[in-house]
């Protein structure tokens, strides 16, 4: 029995979401149906949560055209997760502080990908990987051989990686940074005080069980600089953190799952 | 918190081209046509008909689909000779504003270089990728699909 890969790339949520199922050779009809279901879910959630689409329920609520009670149940669910993330991050993740009204975008992408990934089969396949613009949810392993290996983009060198991590046991990773268009990175504290907080974080990666929370935590840590309060909350919640500061200083929590030194991303490429 | 050694090893740098391809699920197949991976024993079982050092006999040129990337759109034209990508050019690039244009101008040459240089590393995704990367990778993949290099 050999491993095979089923892959799908779907433009949705303003990016391309890649879904991949590694499985033993055989009938893939059921797997393809599961991928279709996951893709359909992504589009459905995009229609609900898009802040770019004026007709989305979220947009209508933001404009005051819809009461909260009439919104799809996914909206209060997401807002509850947002409230949890706000508390954990000492207010650095705060959708309620965004100009233009409540904007849960910083959590929604990870949440939607996590949800789509949960629709893929787990037990009867070798592994699944869902990657939406760098927010990645994994289960199982790559071709049944080793934990999924994911590179973290280097903040200043788009052609390079800062490091490679292994995602084992259904964990997820999200990275937020100032190298991308960063309008969504708003520091609610700095906005209030006008004071930056020490060295800037140029890239923050968070690994843990929930991609929704990892997404929000990475956003918070990218704006928190050297204020260590959100870091403490995120670590206490059971997530691992890797940050790159301006001028290249790197800090990682003890359990951050770096691919072991000496293991190249190429793996077996070097005999 | 642990401090780490300085950023970026050569091995890691070799990775992005593959990341782009792996990201779109193509890398096991590309690996099959890469002499540098021959005999690596990596067991790319998914590379159906996986040729080894002899490489694929596929040659030709194809343009990938025009891909949206949030702030614009681009398409990639690939030329393949004997199963290896020998040229990758961006044929259609429209960006929404000047800022995106600047970013794309910086990023795309690097992506091109990496696609050409690194057809053999092995990771399955990248965290923190840009919209542009995804569009580029997707267009590359659609061009590959047209060339049946898969």
């Amino acid at each position: 029995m050999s491993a095979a890969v089923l892959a799908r790339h779907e433009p949705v949520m303003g990016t391309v979401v890649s879904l991949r199922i590694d499985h033993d050779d055989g009938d893939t009809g059921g797997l393809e149906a599961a991928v279709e279901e996951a893709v359909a879910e992504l589009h459905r959630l995009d229609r609900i949560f898009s802040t770019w689409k004026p007709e989305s329920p979220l947009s209508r609520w933001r404009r005051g055209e819809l009461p909260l009670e009439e919104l799809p149940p996914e909206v209060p669910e997401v807002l509850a997760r947002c409230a949890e993330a706000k508390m954990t991050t000492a207010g650095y993740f705060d959708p309620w502080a965004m100009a233009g009204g409540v904007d849960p975008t910083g959590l929604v992408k990870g949440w939607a990908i996590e949800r789509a990934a949960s629709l893929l089969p787990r037990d009867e396949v070798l592994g699944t990987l869902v990657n939406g613009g760098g927010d990645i949810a994994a289960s199982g392993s790559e071709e049944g051989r080793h934990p999924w290996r994911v590179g973290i983009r280097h903040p200043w060198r788009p052609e390079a990686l800062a490091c490679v991590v292994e995602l084992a046991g259904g964990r997820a990773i999200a990275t937020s940074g100032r190298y991308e268009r960063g309008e969504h990175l708003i520091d609610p504290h700095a906005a209030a005080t006008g004071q930056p907080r020490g060295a800037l974080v140029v890239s923050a990666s968070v690994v843990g069980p929930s991609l929704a929370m990892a997404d929000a935590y990475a956003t918070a840590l990218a704006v928190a600089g050297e204020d260590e309060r959100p870091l403490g909350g995120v670590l206490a919640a059971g997530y691992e953190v890797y940050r790159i500061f301006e001028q290249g200083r790197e800090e990682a929590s003890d359990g951050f799952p770096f691919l072991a030194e000496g293991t190249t991303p190429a793996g077996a490429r070097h005999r | 918190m642990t401090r780490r050694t300085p950023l970026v090893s050569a091995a890691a740098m070799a990775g992005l081209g593959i990341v782009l391809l792996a990201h779109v699920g193509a890398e096991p197949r590309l690996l099959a046509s890469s002499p540098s991976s021959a005999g690596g024993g990596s067991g790319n079982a998914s590379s159906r008909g996986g040729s080894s050092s002899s490489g694929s006999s596929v040659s030709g040129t194809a343009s990938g689909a025009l891909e949206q990337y949030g702030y614009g759109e681009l398409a990639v034209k690939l030329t393949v000779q004997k199963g290896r990508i020998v040229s990758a050019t961006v044929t259609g690039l429209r960006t929404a504003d000047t800022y995106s244009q600047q970013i794309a101008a910086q990023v795309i040459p690097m992506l091109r270089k990496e696609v050409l240089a690194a057809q053999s590393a092995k990771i399955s995704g990248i965290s923190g990728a840009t919209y542009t990367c995804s569009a580029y990778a997707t267009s590359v993949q659609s061009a590959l699909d047209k060339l049946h290099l898969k």
Side-chain angles (χ1 to χ4, degrees):
Chain A
M1 190 77 83
S2 59
V5 175
L6 176 68
R8 169 78 175 261
H9 319 287
E10 185 70 14
V12 62
M13 302 190 300
T15 186
V16 175
V17 177
S18 298
L19 305 94
R20 172 173 164 174
I21 301 179
D22 289 15
H23 59 96
D24 289 322
D25 265 337
D27 180 23
T28 60
L31 302 182
E32 284 165 13
V35 168
E36 283 301 325
E37 192 186 349
V39 165
E41 178 71 355
L42 288 171
H43 284 286
R44 189 181 73 86
L45 297 175
D46 191 28
R47 283 193 296 274
I48 294 174
F49 284 100
S50 176
T51 54
W52 303 97
K53 296 174 181 171
E55 75 283 7
S56 75
L58 186 71
S59 293
R60 294 185 61 203
W61 175 59
R62 280 156 54 98
R63 290 196 304 270
E65 296 171 13
L66 268 185
L68 192 59
E69 312 83 70
E70 289 180 27
L71 290 172
E74 287 85 358
V75 177
E77 185 183 332
V78 160
L79 292 176
R81 304 297 293 277
C82 287
E84 182 188 342
K86 180 180 178 180
M87 199 160 57
T88 304
T89 61
Y92 276 99
F93 179 79
D94 190 350
W96 290 270
M98 308 299 273
V102 183
D103 185 355
T105 303
L107 183 140
V108 161
K109 184 158 72 110
W111 179 81
I113 292 162
E114 178 180 346
R115 196 163 157 127
S118 74
L119 297 175
L120 300 179
R122 294 285 162 90
D123 297 336
E124 61 269 39
V125 300
L126 300 172
T128 68
L129 195 75
V130 182
N131 182 349
D135 289 348
I136 300 174
S139 78
S141 67
E142 182 181 352
E143 297 180 4
R145 290 189 290 125
H146 53 69
W148 290 102
R149 291 170 181 171
V150 170
I152 293 177
R153 188 198 144 154
H154 192 291
W156 303 291
R157 305 170 55 135
E159 83 284 14
L161 301 176
C163 66
V164 176
V165 302
E166 287 195 318
L167 293 181
R171 296 214 283 178
I173 183 169
T175 297
S176 190
R178 296 174 180 275
Y179 48 83
E180 288 184 40
R181 298 174 62 99
E183 301 94 300
H184 67 292
L185 296 181
I186 292 168
D187 176 352
H189 292 301
T193 64
Q195 296 293 317
R197 292 172 181 270
L200 290 175
V201 170
V202 291
S203 172
S205 296
V206 175
V207 172
S210 162
L211 185 55
M213 303 313 286
D215 195 9
Y217 294 160
T219 305
L221 291 169
V223 300
E226 290 184 308
D227 184 343
E228 303 290 44
R229 288 176 299 160
L231 176 70
V234 168
L235 295 178
Y239 288 73
E240 301 292 342
V241 171
Y242 167 62
R243 295 177 298 172
I244 304 169
F245 293 84
E246 53 186 344
Q247 297 171 348
R249 192 176 95 238
E250 295 171 82
E251 290 188 5
S253 56
D254 293 338
F256 195 83
F258 293 110
L259 186 66
E261 296 284 340
T263 314
T264 73
R269 183 161 61 110
H270 299 281
R271 280 154 273 233
Chain B
M1 298 294 276
T2 310
R3 288 222 176 159
R4 292 188 68 244
T5 47
L7 285 174
V8 181
S9 67
M13 287 188 59
L16 184 62
I18 288 308
V19 169
L20 293 168
L21 299 166
H23 182 66
V24 296
E27 104 289 347
R29 295 163 185 128
L30 281 173
L31 276 168
S33 61
S34 167
S36 67
S37 71
S42 59
N44 297 304
S46 59
S47 56
R48 296 179 191 90
S51 50
S52 58
S53 58
S54 61
S56 155
S57 61
V58 171
S59 296
T61 298
S63 289
L66 197 62
E67 295 293 335
Q68 310 286 326
Y69 66 94
Y71 305 101
E73 57 188 21
L74 59 79
V76 179
K77 185 164 88 177
L78 288 186
T79 300
V80 171
Q81 286 177 5
K82 295 184 176 164
R84 284 192 69 82
I85 301 169
V86 295
S87 142
T89 52
V90 174
T91 55
L93 173 63
R94 293 220 305 259
T95 54
D97 55 54
T98 313
Y99 183 76
S100 295
Q101 222 155 28
Q102 287 168 354
I103 300 255
Q106 287 168 12
V107 169
I108 286 167
M110 300 184 205
L111 296 177
R112 178 169 63 229
K113 191 181 84 189
E114 291 303 316
V115 166
L116 296 177
Q119 298 189 45
S120 58
K122 186 73 176 150
I123 64 176
S124 302
I126 183 165
S127 189
T130 63
Y131 294 108
T132 321
C133 286
S134 303
Y136 190 87
T138 307
S139 191
V140 164
Q141 181 59 50
S142 64
L144 288 173
D145 289 347
K146 286 183 188 170
L147 288 164
H148 306 293
L149 184 72
K150 55 178 186 173

